[in-house]
Amino acid sequence: MSSLTSALENDTPCMTCGFELWEPIATSTHGKLGLYNDDRFPGRCILAFPQHADSLESLPMDSMMGFLRDIQIAMKAIRLATGARRVNVSILGNRDPHLHAHLVPRWPDREEFPDCSPWNDQRDKGRLPAHRVRDLKADILATMRGIDTRTARFAMPSPMFEA
């Protein structure tokens, strides 16, 4: 995989379907990571496949494995940067026809509705303050750069998110 590139604030939407990230953080060969601004789950992110694809099954095997590896690395970075106990992953595709994964940090012992997905959470969804968004993005990016990708479970020939 290629080196991690810090994403531009004006990340362009997919030319095929128009899908775009809320708050871009970083880009690699197999993914574009962005913060999904949701104050109920600080650090919630979306990892989108960088080219248009409808589903995992439509990808060549090496691209699918690269995307899954990016998910794993992003999960670890989000968990470490936010202090979450775990990070849930959802790949749905029901509403947006662009391959992407929702990465949701969870704190089951602190949440009012620990068994609910973000889509079923009964709390009102709000936006995080601008300074919190900036700090989360910086913390996640810095943490990703510090992860030793050679120890990732889906080891690929070249590392992702290298400094």
Side-chain angles (χ1 to χ4, degrees):
M1 297 181 91
S2 70
S3 297
L4 170 72
T5 304
S6 206
L8 300 173
E9 290 299 321
N10 297 326
D11 194 36
T12 57
C14 173
M15 297 299 287
T16 303
C17 67
F19 184 87
E20 64 184 314
L21 297 172
W22 273 23
E23 300 280 347
I25 297 172
T27 301
S28 78
T29 302
H30 293 103
K32 291 173 148 185
L33 184 67
L35 185 73
Y36 187 94
N37 194 334
D38 182 348
D39 67 350
R40 301 168 306 165
F41 303 99
R44 180 179 175 187
C45 289
I46 291 179
L47 183 73
F49 194 71
Q51 297 86 36
H52 183 75
D54 292 329
S55 66
L56 279 174
E57 69 188 38
S58 68
L59 299 179
M61 184 61 71
D62 63 330
S63 295
M64 183 191 73
M65 293 304 291
F67 184 68
L68 292 174
R69 184 163 192 266
D70 284 6
I71 289 172
Q72 184 185 50
I73 292 166
M75 287 173 67
K76 185 172 184 178
I78 292 165
R79 186 178 54 74
L80 293 172
T82 65
R85 181 182 296 165
R86 64 178 304 115
V87 176
N88 292 162
V89 177
S90 295
I91 302 174
L92 305 169
N94 299 333
R95 185 173 297 165
D96 294 310
H98 187 101
L99 176 59
H100 64 284
H102 295 262
L103 308 172
V104 185
R106 301 304 301 253
W107 299 266
D109 54 334
R110 298 187 338 209
E111 294 178 25
E112 189 176 352
F113 304 106
D115 298 332
C116 288
S117 71
W119 302 275
N120 296 322
D121 194 298
Q122 299 170 20
R123 297 174 289 170
D124 290 333
K125 181 170 91 175
R127 297 187 80 141
L128 295 161
H131 73 278
R132 184 73 173 120
V133 169
R134 182 186 63 246
D135 292 349
L136 279 167
K137 287 172 58 174
D139 291 348
I140 292 168
L141 181 61
T143 304
M144 268 195 301
R145 286 185 167 150
I147 291 173
D148 182 357
T149 59
R150 294 170 295 179
T151 62
R153 188 174 294 244
F154 296 116
M156 301 293 278
S158 57
M160 179 191 158
F161 299 130
E162 34 182 61

